[in-house]
Amino acid sequence: MVEVNADAAVLAVRQREEVLVSDYLGRPVAVSVLLPPGHDPARPAPYPVLYLNDGQDLPRLHLRTTLAALWARQALLPFVLVAPHANEQRLHEYGIAGRPDYNGRGSRAGAYTEFVLRELLPWAQRQYHATADPAAAVFAGFSLGGLLAFDAVWHHPEAFARAGAFSGSFWWRGRAVGAGYTPADRLMHQQVQARAAHATHAFWLQTGTLDERNDRNENGVIDAIEDSLDLVDALRTQGLDMARQLRYVQVEGGHHHPDTWGRVMPDFLSWAFGAPAAVAALPAPLPLVRLHLDPHLAPALAVSAAVAAVPASINLPPPAGHRPAPALFSFTPAPAALSPAAMPTARPVAGDYLPYYQGYLDQVPAGTDPLQALRTQAEEVRAAFGPLSEAQAVTPYAPGKWTPKELLLHLVDTERIFTYRALRFARGDAQDLPGFEQDDYVAQSGANARSVASLLAEYAAVRAATLALFDALAEEQLDRRGTANGGPVTVRALLYVLPGHEHHHLHIFRERYLPAL
């Protein structure tokens, strides 16, 4: 056990770093513990307790400083915080117990839940005088960790009655979008619909209006909000008292990021452990009515699906002692749809490219200006990769897969090669150009030894050069062709392949990488 030093302002909140060897997980688990001022292991009554997934992120949440400020104001009752760290198995250890998603992720969520129930809870009760009373035990987490916490509380009210989910991954599904997916494939919704809520259950759910940009059914509501509100509907149907057992917080301008979660943390902590005055001061929710418009009853309205009203939001002050970064990046888990332009460059036709490229061209909708798409995607890439820590950026979503840094440099390398081909052909160079093996390039790239900032800087420089080249080309030059990788390709086709290729990889980043981070 290691006692962690801190500034004088927060020394009263003691932080300890422990290691708990888990038989269920077959590995040692690092655990961060935060203790309230004056923590007394011998006091008659045990302490309420918060179990919080992703303990390795406590510094990014500024949680110790936030707790110190709230306890100094006597806004919170004393409680013990126990935060097990995730490791490279996070994508498999978090999820829904016994229900991996369509891609096999979450396969060890059952083992992690058993670790929490059979090892972590008894250890915290023994070592730190944490309560065994489920009414005073809360389990919470972020993103995929929030999904696991919700699932554990839903199925184990005998261990903890309340759960908190910050930007919970309630999209978790048994079928991929595009492979026959329907909303009924969402796995946590299935779990809730299968049993009634327990009388002691209570849930705190949070989303941010900028959690993502993906909108599966194109109804104008991002999936993160829709999935959460649909879960709220399911909870209501299963008997949850909305006034007494649920708090839903929607953060205007909130992102899928520890910065947002750290700022909204006081609301969650006051809900879970607040002194009576702090609980009474929480912003009250507005009534929520969700209407699903019937296009047959309103044929003049071009409405494809549900239209949701959203409840009250709150303005979040920064945590006490928090020093914000110069610019707040946002995760963009799904690339925005490529938007049509008024006068787009004409699309390539059959014979302008190898059949292999058709999949990339299909990513660029009819009527889209590929140059404008490249400009828009530059913002998408910066928003997706910019918030990653250096540790996250070298974490593949599965063994043997590229890391986020390698994926980003692959986008750079591919764009360089394709624009080089476009330059040669636009200048009338008829020499055959060789192909390249992307995995060999990645293996020799050294991407993981570089910083995220340096990779983004190189990406920006390459994108600027690409736009300068294509902006200067006349229609006649776009129709010039050459041979690359053993087949014909026009400059026009290369221009369209670039945004399609990037759109493809941004989609993979959301579907496979983000849940692992």
Side-chain angles (χ1 to χ4, degrees):
M1 185 270 292
V2 178
E3 186 87 27
V4 176
N5 291 323
D7 295 335
V10 295
L11 277 176
V13 180
R14 287 182 290 163
Q15 179 171 344
R16 294 181 176 177
E17 300 299 332
E18 305 255 20
V19 175
L20 182 60
V21 177
S22 170
D23 292 332
Y24 287 96
L25 296 178
R27 68 175 180 89
V29 181
V31 183
S32 295
V33 179
L34 294 177
L35 301 174
H39 176 265
D40 179 7
R43 82 172 194 172
Y47 287 87
V49 59
L50 169 61
Y51 298 98
L52 187 66
N53 286 325
D54 283 310
Q56 73 281 354
D57 285 337
L58 294 191
R60 302 176 72 196
L61 296 163
H62 307 280
L63 190 48
R64 189 179 184 188
T65 303
T66 297
L67 283 171
L70 291 172
W71 272 321
R73 297 202 301 264
Q74 299 184 334
L76 299 180
L77 302 175
F79 70 93
V80 172
L81 186 148
V82 179
H85 295 207
N87 70 353
E88 67 277 1
Q89 291 296 311
R90 181 181 188 274
L91 186 59
H92 298 289
E93 291 182 351
Y94 288 177
I96 296 175
R99 294 298 305 273
D101 85 333
Y102 68 92
N103 209 26
R105 296 170 292 196
S107 59
R108 291 181 54 76
Y112 186 89
T113 301
E114 289 300 304
F115 153 71
V116 171
L117 293 171
R118 312 300 172 204
E119 296 174 328
L120 186 67
L121 269 66
W123 173 83
Q125 292 160 12
R126 183 173 61 253
Q127 293 292 112
Y128 291 103
H129 202 32
T131 185
D133 179 4
V138 183
F139 196 9
F142 313 92
S143 189
L144 200 51
L147 173 68
L148 182 132
F150 184 99
D151 176 62
V153 171
W154 182 254
H155 288 102
H156 298 282
E158 78 284 356
F160 7 57
R162 293 177 291 166
F166 296 74
S167 300
S169 296
F170 297 124
W171 59 267
W172 199 247
R173 51 186 174 264
R175 193 190 309 269
V177 174
Y181 165 84
T182 71
D185 291 311
R186 292 173 297 186
L187 298 178
M188 195 65 247
H189 299 69
Q190 292 177 11
Q191 301 293 300
V192 169
Q193 290 160 357
R195 59 186 294 174
H198 194 272
T200 62
H201 270 150
F203 299 100
W204 184 95
L205 307 179
Q206 176 267 328
T207 62
T209 58
L210 297 180
D211 266 354
E212 61 175 321
R213 297 183 186 176
N214 205 34
D215 179 9
R216 288 184 305 262
N217 55 11
E218 299 180 349
N219 69 344
V221 181
I222 62 171
D223 294 340
I225 291 177
E226 184 159 11
D227 292 335
S228 294
L229 290 179
D230 285 348
L231 188 68
V232 169
D233 279 346
L235 290 168
R236 176 183 54 79
T237 301
Q238 293 302 91
L240 201 75
D241 184 332
M242 295 291 101
R244 184 176 59 86
Q245 295 174 277
L246 178 80
R247 182 169 179 81
Y248 170 74
V249 177
Q250 184 170 297
V251 182
E252 300 300 324
H255 298 77
H256 191 103
H257 191 272
D259 187 281
T260 292
W261 303 331
R263 289 169 182 263
V264 77
M265 185 64 70
D267 188 276
F268 166 71
L269 294 174
S270 296
W271 171 84
F273 303 103
V279 174
L282 286 173
L286 294 175
L288 171 65
V289 177
R290 303 184 75 205
L291 297 180
H292 298 261
L293 302 184
D294 186 342
H296 301 292
L297 298 179
L301 297 175
V303 178
S304 62
V307 175
V310 295
S313 60
I314 62 173
N315 295 320
L316 301 175
H322 172 59
R323 297 174 183 173
L328 173 60
F329 292 102
S330 65
F331 274 147
T332 313
L338 301 180
S339 56
M343 297 194 60
T345 301
R347 295 179 70 86
V349 297
D352 283 356
Y353 50 87
L354 289 170
Y356 169 79
Y357 293 123
Q358 187 63 53
Y360 294 139
L361 294 172
D362 290 343
Q363 300 287 323
V364 185
T368 296
D369 179 352
L371 282 171
Q372 183 56 40
L374 289 172
R375 292 186 177 94
T376 301
Q377 284 178 332
E379 296 297 327
E380 296 277 348
V381 168
R382 282 192 289 272
F385 290 88
L388 299 181
S389 68
E390 295 300 320
Q392 288 175 317
V394 294
T395 303
Y397 68 84
K401 299 300 183 181
W402 297 345
T403 67
K405 286 185 178 182
E406 289 171 335
L407 174 59
L408 179 54
L409 194 51
H410 166 69
L411 294 178
V412 173
D413 286 352
T414 301
E415 185 165 335
R416 269 203 172 103
I417 290 169
F418 280 25
T419 52
Y420 173 72
R421 292 173 181 175
L423 172 65
R424 293 281 294 266
F425 301 154
R427 301 296 189 254
D429 190 334
Q431 297 183 64
D432 292 356
L433 300 180
F436 74 104
E437 175 49 57
Q438 61 180 20
D439 288 318
D440 291 345
Y441 270 53
V442 167
Q444 299 297 323
S445 69
N448 291 332
R450 297 175 56 183
S451 68
V452 174
S454 76
L455 292 169
L456 285 171
E458 183 178 355
Y459 169 88
V462 170
R463 179 54 51 88
T466 298
L467 292 170
L469 171 66
F470 282 107
D471 272 332
L473 296 181
E475 283 291 312
E476 182 269 333
Q477 291 172 304
L478 290 174
D479 287 328
R480 291 176 184 170
R481 68 179 56 229
T483 301
N485 200 27
V489 65
T490 63
V491 177
R492 187 183 305 277
L494 290 167
L495 172 57
Y496 272 82
V497 167
L498 282 171
H501 174 260
E502 194 159 282
H503 191 270
H504 163 76
H505 281 293
L506 284 170
H507 178 74
I508 290 176
F509 184 79
R510 178 198 184 263
E511 287 287 309
R512 302 178 187 177
Y513 285 86
L514 277 183
L517 301 177

